[in-house]
Amino acid sequence: MPQRMLPEPTPETKHFWDGCAEGELRLQRCAACGGKSYFPPRPFCPGCGSREVEIYKASGKAVLYSYVINMRPRPDMGTEPYAIAVVQLDEGPRMMTNIVNCPQTPEALQLDMKLKVSFSKQSDAITLPFFEPA
Amino acid sequence: MKQKSIAVVGAAETTKMGKIPDVSVIGLHADAALNALKDAGLKPTDIDGVACAGLSPVELAHYLGITPTYADGTAVGGCSFMLHLRHAAAAINEGLCKTVLITHGESGRSRVGAGGFGRASSSLMGQFEMPFGPAGPPTMFTIPVLRYLKTYNLTVEDLAWVSVIQREWAAKNPRASFKDPITVDDVLNSPMIAWPFRMLMCCLVTDGGGALILTSADRAKDFPQKPVYVLGTGESVETPMVSQMEDFTSSKAFRVSGKKAFGEAGITHGDVDHLMIYDAFAHLPLYGLEDLGFCKPGEAAAFIRERNTAIGGKLPLNTNGGGLSYMHSGMYGMYALQESVRQMRGIAPAQVPGAKISVCHGVGGMFAASGTIIFSNEAP
Ligand SMILES: [Zn+2]
């Protein structure tokens, strides 16, 4: 199986990927507009344009928001069907991920089920944030 | 834009449609362009504005021997042509050029002279979506749908009805790829592609192209074809990542684009005789009907199932058979525009009798972008 497609961090996203490698899910929030969290990473607030933003460690808690189960696996993803999911983090933002330690079936994957982050080291540089039933 | 200040005076698709292994991408652009020029009674040298997506307008202009004073390479996916049309209308009104050629050609099936599909691994999509296994539009465009179904207490059967009714329209179109009738059971028993989407809820993959020629309304009456006037236009973009769309049950780009177009056109929904909604997948007509304001949120599925958009219904929708049954080369927006123009000229295979206003709504990327064009066949 070919190496899984992995992200190439940029200066603006490096803190997120460094966080995953250190076992932390890092989000950003804006000081100017009431501490609203946002994702994906960028060095300013997409709500108001302020550069006064901070990086913080998120709880890692989420619910399953929506998903598909891909029946024709991408070559680097193995041979079994897998869910491509979007989770809603407790802090507000949504992110794409995979759901692990759970059968990849419509019966097992119920919308709004509680999840928690589960880090998976892929290479020396990259650890991916997956989610599993909480 | 000013209502009816611009008209479509040339419109054509590629000579062949479906599987065209003997023509490259640029060849499909040129074939469609030459057909549209013939339709309008023009030569390439009569064109002074060019627009295309997928190919650079530089490549297009040079290939056809055009020296333009206006070039638009807006490439936001399958609705790029709606945006080209909108920008061309503004450009002609502003005097940047007089006659604009918009082309599309795509070797979606045969992949002759076609580039690859991919995103840089440093892009936001490359970093925050691709590592989790998306394998093209059937696994991305579809991601919001389980949330939509749950929110409105709908089922996959509601998606299946979209495919069934569009196939009825396709049966009337000799150029449609799929014409045989299908049932809801057929759709629900077709191979699973990406739960909850089965094959018959997904668009075709074909080769083809199309082209449009626009000029000012006052010049339009001197052309051989019945002019099709542009009544209103809209466009917007939301996000390059489907996972980041603001509302999984509604497209912000659809709402903004549609509202702008209806506002410019100065019409109400009851004035609309014919509707095209880009249907790469079966959920798109549902989102489109709701986000354009034809149905309240959650009510589009019943609207379709009750045959309002079917043959003989009050709002004929996707009368060429749509991307689900007619053709879909990758960027389907051009074919939706072609069908609106045919309906306004009164020459569509499944002609809506007496249709005077057609709304043509496109999507680009995975809910990334949108463009809406409203046409009228009544002279200003
Ligand atoms: Zn802010």
Side-chain angles (χ1 to χ4, degrees):
Chain A
M1 183 165 91
Q3 161 77 52
R4 185 179 181 123
M5 205 178 282
L6 292 177
E8 182 186 329
T10 60
E12 296 83 0
T13 64
K14 185 171 182 297
H15 68 268
F16 178 87
W17 295 113
D18 286 350
C20 289
E22 292 164 33
E24 281 189 9
L25 189 68
R26 290 178 184 163
L27 290 178
Q28 287 167 297
R29 63 189 163 202
C30 174
C33 62
K36 196 173 187 311
S37 296
Y38 64 85
F39 179 85
R42 73 207 85 170
F44 59 90
C45 167
C48 73
S50 169
R51 296 174 196 257
E52 301 289 310
V53 295
E54 66 160 345
I55 296 164
Y56 73 99
K57 180 186 173 183
S59 66
K61 292 182 191 164
V63 295
L64 181 55
Y65 195 67
S66 204
Y67 68 92
V68 295
I69 302 173
N70 184 15
M71 307 305 285
R72 300 180 302 176
R74 208 171 67 188
D76 61 317
M77 294 291 290
T79 54
E80 293 301 310
Y82 57 88
I84 305 164
V86 173
V87 299
Q88 170 123 33
L89 303 173
D90 272 17
E91 291 79 6
R94 297 187 196 122
M95 60 187 292
M96 190 175 280
T97 187
N98 298 125
I99 310 299
V100 297
N101 300 323
C102 181
Q104 305 291 289
T105 63
E107 295 71 30
L109 294 162
Q110 293 290 327
L111 293 199
D112 300 311
M113 67 192 280
K114 288 195 165 77
L115 303 167
K116 62 177 195 289
V117 72
S118 169
F119 293 102
S120 171
K121 186 173 177 178
Q122 304 288 318
S123 71
D124 284 347
I126 295 296
T127 294
L128 291 177
F130 297 148
F131 282 76
E132 63 184 5
Chain B
M1 65 163 282
K2 190 168 162 283
Q3 291 166 14
K4 297 185 182 176
S5 57
I6 302 296
V8 175
V9 294
E13 294 175 343
T14 42
T15 309
K16 287 191 280 182
M17 194 76 101
K19 196 172 178 190
I20 319 174
D22 55 345
V23 186
S24 69
V25 168
I26 195 168
L28 293 167
H29 278 260
D31 179 49
L34 293 174
N35 287 344
L37 286 162
K38 185 176 178 212
D39 183 63
L42 295 175
K43 300 187 297 297
T45 48
D46 297 320
I47 298 294
D48 61 358
V50 291
C52 58
L55 190 73
S56 154
V58 181
E59 293 173 278
L60 175 71
H62 185 258
Y63 200 60
L64 290 171
I66 293 168
T67 306
T69 61
Y70 170 82
D72 180 7
T74 302
V76 292
C79 65
S80 298
F81 320 102
M82 283 80 174
L83 276 68
H84 294 154
L85 196 155
R86 185 168 198 250
H87 303 169
I92 294 166
N93 277 335
E94 186 61 21
L96 307 186
C97 54
K98 287 192 169 66
T99 312
V100 176
L101 170 70
I102 304 170
T103 67
H104 165 65
E106 214 167 11
S107 187
R109 182 186 177 96
S110 304
R111 315 294 308 164
V112 186
F117 178 84
R119 294 286 189 285
S121 56
S122 60
S123 70
L124 289 177
M125 193 178 163
Q127 290 188 65
F128 297 106
E129 291 193 330
M130 296 313 286
F132 305 106
T139 59
M140 302 185 84
F141 219 151
T142 50
I143 282 180
V145 171
L146 284 182
R147 176 55 55 181
Y148 175 88
L149 296 179
K150 180 168 181 177
T151 300
Y152 297 118
N153 201 21
L154 299 169
T155 67
V156 287
E157 196 176 317
D158 292 297
L159 297 173
W161 273 110
V162 176
S163 307
V164 169
I165 288 176
Q166 284 195 201
R167 184 61 66 83
E168 295 174 12
W169 282 112
K172 302 190 80 164
N173 186 349
R175 273 174 48 111
S177 298
F178 293 144
K179 294 188 269 289
D180 295 339
I182 51 173
T183 65
V184 165
D185 280 348
D186 291 337
V187 179
L188 296 180
N189 288 320
S190 63
M192 186 66 80
I193 303 295
W195 166 262
F197 278 78
R198 293 181 182 268
M199 187 172 279
L200 290 176
M201 301 170 183
C202 304
C203 66
L204 300 154
V205 183
T206 52
D207 306 325
L212 293 167
I213 297 170
L214 277 81
T215 194
S216 60
D218 53 346
R219 292 181 68 216
K221 49 189 175 301
D222 301 329
F223 283 80
Q225 304 292 346
K226 181 179 177 180
V228 176
Y229 300 97
V230 181
L231 197 53
T233 64
E235 71 183 82
S236 192
V237 298
E238 185 180 353
T239 168
M241 303 163 71
V242 68
S243 63
Q244 299 304 313
M245 71 187 288
E246 198 173 86
D247 182 346
F248 275 33
T249 70
S250 167
S251 161
K252 183 165 79 172
F254 280 19
R255 296 194 307 273
V256 172
S257 176
K259 190 171 178 216
K260 185 80 180 157
F262 273 81
E264 276 188 14
I267 60 163
T268 66
H269 292 83
D271 296 328
V272 177
D273 302 307
H274 172 251
L275 177 62
M276 296 299 291
I277 297 175
Y278 190 129
D279 58 325
F281 297 93
H283 59 306
L284 289 166
L286 304 179
Y287 282 65
L289 282 166
E290 294 171 13
D291 291 337
L292 293 174
F294 289 99
C295 295
K296 293 200 183 78
E299 294 184 357
F303 188 76
I304 287 178
R305 204 175 52 235
E306 290 159 9
R307 305 192 61 79
N308 289 293
T309 62
I311 296 166
K314 66 180 176 188
L315 186 61
L317 169 68
N318 293 344
T319 48
N320 59 354
L324 294 173
S325 289
Y326 175 49
M327 86 85 68
H328 194 297
S329 58
M331 294 192 284
Y332 167 80
M334 175 58 81
Y335 310 97
L337 289 165
Q338 295 287 337
E339 175 66 6
S340 279
V341 169
R342 284 192 294 264
Q343 288 285 349
M344 292 294 92
R345 288 178 170 181
I347 58 164
Q351 181 63 39
V352 176
K356 293 185 175 67
I357 292 181
S358 174
V359 172
C360 188
H361 181 72
V363 65
M366 271 57 83
F367 287 119
S370 187
T372 313
I373 305 295
I374 303 181
F375 294 105
S376 166
N377 55 16
E378 292 189 313

